[in-house]
Amino acid sequence: MDMPISTPLTARLGIQHPILSAPMDVIAGARLTAAVSAAGGFGILGGGYGDQTWLKQETAKLAGVQNPFGIGFITWSLAKQPALLDIALEARPRAIMLSFGDPTPFASRIKSSGALLICQVQTEDMARQALDAGADILIAQGTEAGGHGASRTTLDIVPAIVDLAAGRVPVVAAGGIGDGRGLA
């Protein structure tokens, strides 16, 4: 049985289920992104380190996707190739996700395009920086989410980021959520 779950996150993204796929560099291609979005979650294309040819190919495949989707980048890598953001925004994603770096240089372009800004954070300082940049959604990443730059577990970092966000933006948990019970 397919039961939508209504939360501030699902309302903001226009999805049925509060589930976001990780934008894993080149692993999360258009096929996975579209499948997650078609199932009622939020698929995020993995722009990662920024292979321009691959990004153009994959965003072209998303042209006919009816459901909301996003595109994610490693922020410090995007700073080396800022033209990749133009390619991503041309695909008209519902959101751009930035991880591992200061989102400020990209925030105004993302938001002025009409896309939401999702920022993945591993510390309270990173969350403050993302909120100051205008993040619409925070993803609190624990060590169980691939271990990329995180030094705290999901069960430790998520409540800290929720408290810091103080209801201003939805906070998503990343790492260690593997079933419906964990989601609940």
Side-chain angles (χ1 to χ4, degrees):
M1 176 158 64
D2 187 24
M3 292 181 46
I5 300 172
S6 181
T7 69
L9 176 72
T10 59
R12 189 161 288 184
L13 291 174
I15 58 177
Q16 292 182 312
H17 310 295
I19 297 172
L20 286 67
S21 62
M24 301 167 288
D25 186 31
V26 303
I27 301 299
R31 185 173 173 212
L32 178 60
T33 301
V36 171
S37 291
F42 192 72
I44 306 176
L45 184 75
Y49 295 102
D51 180 330
Q52 185 173 0
T53 302
W54 184 87
L55 186 61
K56 284 181 178 180
Q57 290 171 341
E58 295 303 300
T59 55
K61 293 175 189 174
L62 292 172
V65 171
Q66 299 293 317
N67 305 89
F69 67 90
I71 301 173
F73 292 99
I74 295 171
T75 311
W76 60 261
S77 186
L78 182 60
K80 294 178 182 180
Q81 301 180 75
L84 295 174
L85 185 56
D86 296 325
I87 297 167
L89 293 174
E90 286 173 16
R92 307 198 50 77
R94 178 75 176 116
I96 297 288
M97 179 177 161
L98 300 177
S99 307
F100 312 114
D102 182 3
T104 305
F106 304 105
S108 64
R109 280 183 56 212
I110 291 167
K111 294 179 75 70
S112 68
S113 77
L116 297 171
L117 173 60
I118 301 174
C119 293
Q120 181 171 261
V121 300
Q122 295 85 27
T123 67
E124 287 93 332
D125 286 342
M126 292 173 82
R128 280 186 203 92
Q129 183 179 53
L131 290 169
D132 288 347
D136 297 293
I137 298 167
L138 295 177
I139 297 179
Q141 182 190 29
T143 53
E144 303 90 341
H148 303 291
S151 61
R152 295 167 66 183
T153 66
T154 303
L155 288 177
D156 179 45
I157 191 66
V158 170
I161 301 302
V162 167
D163 288 348
L164 189 136
R168 291 177 283 177
V169 299
V171 177
V172 177
I177 311 298
D179 60 15
R181 188 172 86 174
L183 176 64

